[in-house]
């Protein structure tokens, strides 16, 4: 990714003007005496990418952005959760939050060997409701009492478990048609309820803490939710909103210069081409590819003619102003301009 691996120069581009001229060390004899077959092995794309990434260094400049403006940027810090998620014990099911009696707990602790129990043992009085957005302090349950609760609602602080509504039946209703007392007839914790609800005796399956997401179940306070070096995408923006990290430090985007080479190249807006000329399309392709990867600052560094000094001059200016320079051409076996020869004999000019 050009965001996370790009050339870095000290603030940030080398000034060649005081110690170098535009004159190349490459002579016509160097060009003409080149090997008739390339001495450079053909590389696979995976090898090319490995070499580029091994030789590149990170941009260290950082800027702070609103988290929604950080999309497709590289995070420059570890983002930590300030609070746990959920910040309160929350119900996983629609049903009832229960406060068990001593007898109910003893029965549940007796294990699977216990005989079916009279269902009246698991009768509860409904004293209120706990909905999403309510305070967990709203309801104080007594033994044998319960509160109607919806998925995501805050579980009363002293509740022992949540039973899904499918595992209950209404014994009494008030004048508004709301449950006044309920009977537990199941308790598998699964979906859809369980078994024959008409039987007067049956085994009740219920566990302490059932269907309750405790505080910090998803994210603990201080937990790293986005690591430094992560590409900020939709999930990362969402988690920043979740933990309230509205300002995010990101690495600055690189400035990229594009160079084309060849006497035959002309600007795409040329209406009529002369004989032997073609329009420069590679630069447009590369510019579009860079934009599609979120690069904002793209410099057209021009077209270098098939002349050694022209190539060096164009490259020198590009490297003074950009973090990354991308060029096309100059790698054939022809007798005009060969980048391998030029750069190998002018290496000090391009040593950063």
């Amino acid at each position: 990714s050009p965001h996370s691996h790009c050339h870095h120069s000290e603030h940030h581009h080398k000034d060649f003007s005081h110690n170098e001229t535009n004159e190349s060390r490459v002579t016509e004899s160097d060009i003409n005496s080149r090997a008739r077959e390339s001495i450079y092995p053909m590389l696979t794309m995976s090898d090319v990418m490995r070499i580029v990434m091994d030789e590149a260094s990170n941009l260290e400049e950082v800027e702070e952005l609103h988290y929604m403006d950080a999309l497709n940027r590289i995070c420059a810090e570890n983002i930590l959760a300030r609070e746990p998620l959920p910040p309160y014990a929350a119900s996983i099911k629609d049903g009832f939050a229960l406060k068990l009696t001593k007898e109910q707990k003893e029965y549940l602790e007796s294990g699977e060997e216990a005989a079916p129990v009279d269902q009246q043992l698991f009768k509860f009085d409904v004293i209120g409701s706990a909905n999403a957005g309510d305070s967990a302090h709203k309801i104080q349950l007594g033994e044998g009492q319960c509160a109607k609760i919806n998925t995501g609602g805050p579980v009363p602080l002293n509740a022992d478990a949540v039973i899904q509504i499918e595992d209950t039946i209404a014994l009494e209703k008030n004048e508004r048609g709301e449950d006044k007392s309920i009977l537990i007839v199941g308790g598998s914790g699964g979906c859809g309820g369980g078994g024959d609800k008409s039987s007067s005796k049956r085994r009740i399956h219920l566990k302490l803490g059932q269907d309750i997401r405790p505080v910090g179940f998803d994210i603990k306070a201080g937990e790293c939710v986005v690591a430094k070096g992560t590409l900020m995408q939709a999930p990362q923006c969402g988690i920043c909103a979740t933990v309230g990290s509205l300002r995010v430090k990101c690495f600055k985007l690189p400035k990229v210069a594009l160079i084309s080479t060849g006497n035959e190249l002309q600007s795409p807006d040329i209406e009529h081409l002369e004989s032997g000329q073609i329009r420069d399309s590679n630069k447009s392709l590369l510019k579009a590819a860079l934009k599609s990867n979120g690069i904002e600052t793209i410099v057209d560094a021009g077209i270098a003619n098939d002349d050694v000094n022209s190539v060096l001059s164009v490259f020198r200016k590009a490297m003074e102003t950009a973090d990354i320079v991308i060029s096309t051409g100059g790698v054939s076996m022809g007798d005009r301009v060969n980048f391998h020869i030029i750069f190998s004999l002018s290496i000090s000019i391009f040593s950063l």
Side-chain angles (χ1 to χ4, degrees):
S1 166
H3 303 280
S4 57
H5 296 278
C6 46
H7 177 77
H8 175 239
S9 50
E10 291 300 326
H11 199 81
H12 269 86
H13 316 289
K14 185 171 181 179
D15 183 1
F16 298 101
S17 58
H18 301 298
N19 56 7
E20 297 286 354
T21 69
N22 287 339
E23 294 300 318
S24 170
R25 301 174 184 175
V26 181
T27 65
E28 185 174 346
S29 175
D30 293 322
I31 299 293
N32 292 334
S33 62
R34 73 196 185 287
R36 302 190 75 84
E37 294 183 6
S38 177
I39 63 174
Y40 302 98
M42 181 69 73
L43 299 177
T44 65
M45 181 58 70
S46 59
D47 286 337
V48 170
M49 291 302 297
R50 177 182 54 78
I51 293 170
V52 170
M53 301 305 275
D54 286 348
E55 294 297 326
S57 58
N58 290 330
L59 278 175
E60 298 299 332
E61 285 189 275
V62 171
E63 58 185 337
E64 191 174 80
L65 302 172
H66 186 270
Y67 74 100
M68 287 302 293
D69 294 326
L71 186 64
N72 293 324
R73 299 290 292 273
I74 300 298
C75 184
E77 62 178 338
N78 289 329
I79 299 176
L80 308 180
R82 293 181 294 179
E83 307 99 8
L85 182 73
Y88 53 84
S91 176
I92 296 175
K93 301 281 184 66
D94 295 327
F96 298 89
L98 312 171
K99 177 63 177 176
L100 300 175
T101 65
K102 179 181 178 182
E103 293 77 11
Q104 290 167 346
K105 288 183 179 179
E106 287 176 349
Y107 174 78
L108 296 176
E109 291 169 357
S110 64
E112 292 295 331
E113 296 79 13
V117 67
D118 187 333
Q119 290 184 351
Q120 291 297 318
L121 176 62
F122 283 86
K123 174 182 175 294
F124 291 84
D125 295 324
V126 183
I127 66 167
S129 61
N131 300 311
D134 289 345
S135 169
H137 300 273
K138 174 183 174 183
I139 297 175
Q140 184 74 20
L141 297 174
E143 289 188 1
Q145 293 181 334
C146 69
K148 187 176 181 180
I149 195 166
N150 294 318
T151 301
V155 176
L157 296 179
N158 62 337
D160 295 310
V162 168
I163 187 76
Q164 63 184 15
I165 194 169
E166 294 92 336
D167 289 328
T168 68
I169 58 174
L171 288 180
E172 297 179 79
K173 289 184 176 288
N174 61 24
E175 62 276 6
R176 296 187 300 274
E178 299 169 332
D179 292 339
K180 187 175 179 182
S181 64
I182 63 165
L183 194 64
I184 294 180
V185 293
S188 63
C191 296
D196 178 14
K197 297 181 181 179
S198 64
S199 175
S200 62
K201 287 192 174 185
R202 60 176 293 149
R203 174 69 182 146
I204 301 297
H205 298 277
L206 188 63
K207 295 179 180 179
L208 295 178
Q210 175 177 297
D211 288 336
I212 297 175
R213 288 167 60 215
V215 173
F217 181 79
D218 298 319
I219 300 173
K220 294 178 174 58
E223 181 178 341
C224 180
V225 294
V226 180
K228 179 180 179 180
T230 300
L231 176 64
M232 294 290 294
Q233 296 184 303
Q236 286 73 32
C237 291
I239 201 68
C240 285
T242 298
V243 301
S245 292
L246 304 187
R247 305 295 297 179
V248 178
K249 291 181 180 179
C250 296
F251 291 109
K252 284 189 174 182
L253 292 173
K255 185 176 184 180
V256 181
L258 301 178
I259 297 175
S260 301
T261 60
N263 292 340
E264 74 280 12
L265 296 182
Q266 301 296 317
S267 173
D269 59 8
I270 294 295
E271 196 166 333
H272 300 291
L273 294 173
E274 301 293 336
S275 176
Q277 294 180 340
I278 60 173
R279 294 182 180 87
D280 180 5
S281 60
N282 285 343
K283 193 175 291 176
S284 298
L285 182 151
L286 290 170
K287 188 172 184 179
L290 288 166
K291 284 188 172 182
S292 70
N293 279 277
I295 301 300
E296 299 171 355
T297 306
I298 304 171
V299 178
D300 185 344
I303 298 174
N305 294 328
D306 289 333
D307 171 79
V308 172
N309 292 324
S310 173
V311 169
L312 290 181
S313 176
V314 169
F315 267 87
R316 182 180 291 110
K317 291 177 181 177
M319 296 177 76
E320 288 174 350
T321 58
D323 302 299
I324 298 173
V325 176
I326 302 176
S327 67
T328 59
V331 293
S332 69
M333 289 298 295
D335 62 359
R336 299 303 297 166
V337 171
N338 186 293
F339 284 1
H340 295 310
I341 297 175
I342 295 174
F343 293 162
S344 63
L345 294 179
S346 306
I347 192 66
S348 64
I349 295 179
F350 299 99
S351 176
L352 296 179

